[in-house]
Amino acid sequence: HIMVDKSTLAFIWALVPGIVILFVVLALFSYLRPRRPIIFDFRRTLTTRDDIDALDCNGQHIVTPPPVGDGWFGAFKAALAYSDDEMVESHGLDMVMYLRMQKVMFGVFSVATLLTAAVLYPVYATAGNKDLPKDDASYVAGLDIISMANVPTESARYWATAVVDVILTAIVISAMAKLYAEFASRRIAYRKKNWPTSYAVVCMDLPANYTNSKSVYDYFDGVFPGEVLDVNYVQDGTEILNMKKLYWKAVSKREGLEYKFSTPKGAAKGRPEHRPAACGACRGVEKVDSIEYWQGEQDRLTEEIRNAQEASESLAPRFCAVVIFASKAAATTAAQLQIGPATTLFFRDLAGEPNAVNWPRISMKASMAPVFSAISWGMMFFFIVFWGGVVAAVMGLANLQSLADTSAFSWLSPVLDWPEAIVGLIEGLLPVVVLIVLNMLPVIIMSILAGRERWHSLNLTEAQFQIYIYIFSLFATFVYPVLGSALLTDIQGIINDPTSIPKILASAIPKGGFFFITLVTLTAFVNNSMELLQIVRLIVQPIFGWLFKTERGRRKTEAFGSVQSFPKPYAMTAVIFLLGIGYSSISPFICVVSTVYFGLQYVFQRYLLAYTMIRPIDGGGILFRGAFQQIMFSLFFKTLVMASLVGVSSSFAAVLEGLLIPVVIIANMHLRRKYDNVIDFGDFEDVRKAADAPDLAKSYVPRYVNPALVPLPPYVNLNGVEAGGDDDDVEKGGKGGGGEEEAVAKDGARDAPAASGTAGEQEWYDSDGGEAPVKGKEADDSDEEFFAAADERQEEVVVKSP
């Protein structure tokens, strides 16, 4: 039975190569890890540097766990030994909550594996469909014997399915409630700390008469006397930002040409020349010295940027501002109170960390916000509708026999005569691979659209992107494959009698279980293995290293692929949970492969996040809340489907399954009502009692300045030429740099990250990008001090240097 069943063959096609790939990757990882530390121990390389790239989102120097041991598993042992509490302090809450989610999912499916093996395996395996004639539509073989597909319709065995679902639902709700309470507790602790976000409030859609910092300051100072430290009003700096992009382009061009000319091959060709501007191909335009040209562009743009910033008062107001308070209690109160001049209320919220402020989007006109949101949801609706046809075509590969029985596809009949192993590969594994690949395209487009929406924080942009991915994946990975596989099982029967659809679905859905088992197996072994091996970085870094030879280019190359973004991983977690829990009582073997997936994900990601990845826009774990909601919705969806499915066969089981629906809804509402406010703003009593640091809060003021108004840093030449780094002398804002200024602007401090169209995944390591406001952190008397300038209105402030 096993070797001739296509579902079992598909599973074997995924399992055997997957295990081989896993062990090959583990061997390669063990070999490459000590030899490629710039990839597999990237965080440690940053701890040896003193530039702005070596600081985390709160201005503290990036740290990493102790060095790993030897052997295949030494790296994982070291990562697992690094506690969650230590990791919160060194890596941030975003990373910790993602790992906690993986660990809890591993525990849930471990218990589910034992429960279903003890109850459902014997109940299903001893049922009778396996003994039917092979030409019977209900006949099953192979691993389908231990699934609901082996249970005849109207069987009393469905009560066991309902009881197991009740237990599994209780386990999931209990585990998620405990985890959500832990998240709330960690968020309360996060809000008590003296991070920049604890003191800053972002205001949007201010009334028309609030056109500068003073007007906003006067208003808030009237409401919170003596609590307002400063206000950074947002003006339209688009033109200045564009000039900054051109400036860093000129810097990159100049340094690249200097390096090229320093090589023997480049020197032999003479100083580089080109025809400037749009006439690069015009024969009548005289060539210029390229290095001098880009140096001239750099100096010209430096002067233009300085002049534009000095005239910043003339920039158009954007009716939004960031208010920095002297105490955390005042900030959290201002973010929650319904306050506004007269009857006009404006939007307020605690600002994200300085790196996460979404400057281009908070500058967007309020009237444009619903337009971009409508475009995103419209595209989402389009993809959901359109993808139904795409998935149906893919699922046709999984039902060749059914297609061949129709006149339109009778030409497929010869394919069914091919060797059983080949047919199993086509029907079982190929649709899974094709579906995974095709589902990538809409996700990329949705990331771009989410990045265009009006969210004041990049973390909120990521959260919106996460929602889009999950909704799309719900249909593309679960709903459409389930319906497509079921309906394609008996196309001719549906055509002849459309009223038979409910019974056909009830019979066919259990048989589609091994499609999802194959999908989870492939994802568990192949996707997790490729992530551990950092295959993209291994391929791209040598290419970039060959293309970019300057020190600036080298740093950009080293940092490629090191920025961790969580929307897709969290959405994938929710989707795998949906597949696993959705089919846990239909094809219970899926619990085994789901356990493997989350086990590997937890161990591999714990190492990768601890040693190789950075998170420049840590959001205090806020994306976990969306993931929690998606897990609870997946559980609700599972109970809804099961109530409908078993209702065709057993009224008792349907009632029991139906009772779970309100239980899940009530549990979700209760947990959200209990914890959501403290998750957003912390426990007010704790925040009020927590020690404030007004001097430290004052140092955060320049970090919340619109990047357009932040002066260019002193230029440090990073052309990588050993003898010619800084030219002869320092000219106005252009060449040279050194001393304490160089400590401030090593590598040219970056612009505060702006939405890049990838829903919050920032190009923080952008050698052509501008400078960020100077980062600060808690200081002591022995720290080196340096000066951070914002604009003429702001005071000089002393913050800690790394």
Side-chain angles (χ1 to χ4, degrees), residues 201-397:
V201 173
V202 61
C203 304
M204 300 167 64
D205 305 328
L206 291 165
N209 57 318
Y210 287 75
T211 58
N212 54 50
S213 296
K214 185 180 184 306
S215 58
V216 179
Y217 180 95
D218 290 343
Y219 172 72
F220 277 97
D221 188 56
V223 180
F224 301 95
E227 290 283 359
V228 182
L229 291 177
D230 212 334
V231 174
N232 288 327
Y233 193 86
V234 179
Q235 295 166 290
D236 185 4
T238 304
E239 185 177 348
I240 299 177
L241 289 176
N242 289 335
M243 286 192 291
K244 285 190 173 185
K245 291 179 181 178
L246 294 175
Y247 170 85
W248 289 107
K249 176 184 177 181
V251 168
S252 181
K253 289 281 190 180
R254 171 199 168 185
E255 291 176 351
L257 291 167
E258 286 174 343
Y259 176 87
K260 184 177 181 180
F261 180 61
S262 72
T263 64
K265 186 177 179 180
K269 293 181 177 179
R271 289 182 66 85
E273 296 180 335
H274 75 286
R275 294 183 176 88
C279 290
C282 302
R283 293 295 179 184
V285 177
E286 185 178 351
K287 289 185 176 181
V288 298
D289 183 290
S290 297
I291 295 176
E292 292 181 359
Y293 173 82
W294 289 113
Q295 173 65 68
E297 286 293 288
Q298 180 180 340
D299 292 340
R300 177 183 65 82
L301 288 164
T302 298
E303 189 67 23
E304 290 183 3
I305 291 169
R306 179 184 292 119
N307 293 337
Q309 290 174 338
E310 290 174 354
S312 61
E313 294 298 327
S314 63
L315 296 176
R318 285 305 188 188
F319 303 104
C320 50
V322 179
V323 184
I324 294 86
F325 289 85
S327 69
K328 295 186 287 293
T332 192
T333 302
Q336 296 179 74
L337 287 181
Q338 293 297 312
I339 55 176
T343 59
T344 304
L345 297 178
F346 50 86
F347 175 87
R348 295 160 321 287
D349 193 9
L350 287 173
E353 298 293 350
N355 295 347
V357 176
N358 197 356
W359 294 102
R361 302 282 78 81
I362 66 173
S363 299
M364 180 189 295
K365 292 182 178 179
S367 59
M368 295 302 297
V371 175
F372 281 99
S373 180
I375 291 173
S376 296
W377 283 107
M379 287 298 297
M380 169 65 69
F381 179 76
F382 167 77
F383 276 122
I384 288 175
V385 174
F386 175 75
W387 226 245
V390 174
V391 175
V394 172
M395 296 309 297
L397 294 173

Side-chain angles (χ1 to χ4, degrees), residues 184 187-189 191-192 332 336 350 676-687:
R187 283 285 296 184
I188 290 172
R191 283 300 179 197
K192 288 167 59 178
T332 192
Q336 296 179 74
L350 287 173
D676 273 9
N677 195 64
V678 294
I679 286 172
D680 284 329
F681 302 105
D683 184 292
F684 183 77
E685 187 66 15
D686 284 352
V687 171

Side-chain angles (χ1 to χ4, degrees), residues 406-557:
T406 64
S407 57
F409 294 94
S410 58
W411 51 272
L412 288 173
S413 297
V415 176
L416 300 174
D417 297 328
W418 292 358
E420 192 72 24
I422 302 300
V423 176
L425 174 65
I426 296 173
E427 290 192 308
L429 185 60
L430 187 58
V432 173
V433 175
V434 172
L435 188 64
I436 291 174
V437 173
L438 289 178
N439 284 350
M440 294 179 182
L441 177 61
V443 170
I444 295 172
I445 295 175
M446 293 310 302
S447 72
I448 297 173
L449 293 174
R452 301 293 297 172
E453 292 187 31
R454 189 177 184 242
W455 300 100
H456 71 82
S457 166
L458 294 172
N459 303 121
L460 298 178
T461 303
E462 285 187 321
Q464 187 67 17
F465 179 38
Q466 181 178 328
I467 292 172
Y468 290 151
I469 300 175
Y470 176 75
I471 294 174
F472 172 76
S473 299
L474 174 68
F475 285 90
T477 309
F478 185 75
V479 175
Y480 288 153
V482 166
L483 295 178
S485 178
L487 296 176
L488 287 171
T489 300
D490 190 7
I491 297 177
Q492 199 61 50
I494 294 174
I495 294 174
N496 296 334
D497 183 14
T499 61
S500 65
I501 289 179
K503 289 186 176 181
I504 291 175
L505 287 174
S507 174
I509 287 177
K511 291 184 178 181
F514 266 88
F515 172 85
F516 298 106
I517 291 175
T518 303
L519 189 152
V520 175
T521 301
L522 199 65
T523 305
F525 288 106
V526 178
N527 285 25
N528 283 335
S529 296
M530 293 300 101
E531 288 180 7
L532 176 66
L533 194 57
Q534 294 290 282
I535 190 68
V536 176
R537 292 166 81 176
L538 280 175
I539 294 172
V540 172
Q541 280 198 6
I543 298 174
F544 279 12
W546 177 72
L547 292 173
F548 307 117
K549 302 294 187 180
T550 66
E551 174 68 12
R552 198 180 303 275
R554 182 185 66 80
R555 292 184 180 185
K556 183 175 182 179
T557 297

Side-chain angles (χ1 to χ4, degrees), residues 539-605:
I539 294 172
V540 172
Q541 280 198 6
I543 298 174
F544 279 12
W546 177 72
L547 292 173
F548 307 117
K549 302 294 187 180
T550 66
E551 174 68 12
R552 198 180 303 275
R554 182 185 66 80
R555 292 184 180 185
K556 183 175 182 179
T557 297
E558 290 175 353
F560 177 83
S562 65
V563 176
Q564 178 64 46
S565 178
F566 286 105
K568 287 188 282 188
Y570 264 133
M572 176 62 74
T573 296
V575 169
I576 297 297
F577 171 80
L578 173 62
L579 300 181
I581 205 69
Y583 266 86
S584 59
S585 52
I586 298 174
S587 293
F589 191 74
I590 201 170
C591 295
V592 176
V593 295
S594 297
T595 302
V596 173
Y597 171 83
F598 285 111
L600 292 176
Q601 177 74 187
Y602 174 68
V603 174
F604 289 177
Q605 288 299 321

Side-chain angles (χ1 to χ4, degrees), residues 132 147 168 193 198 269 518:
L132 296 172
S147 74
L168 287 177
K193 292 185 177 180
S198 301
K269 293 181 177 179
T518 303

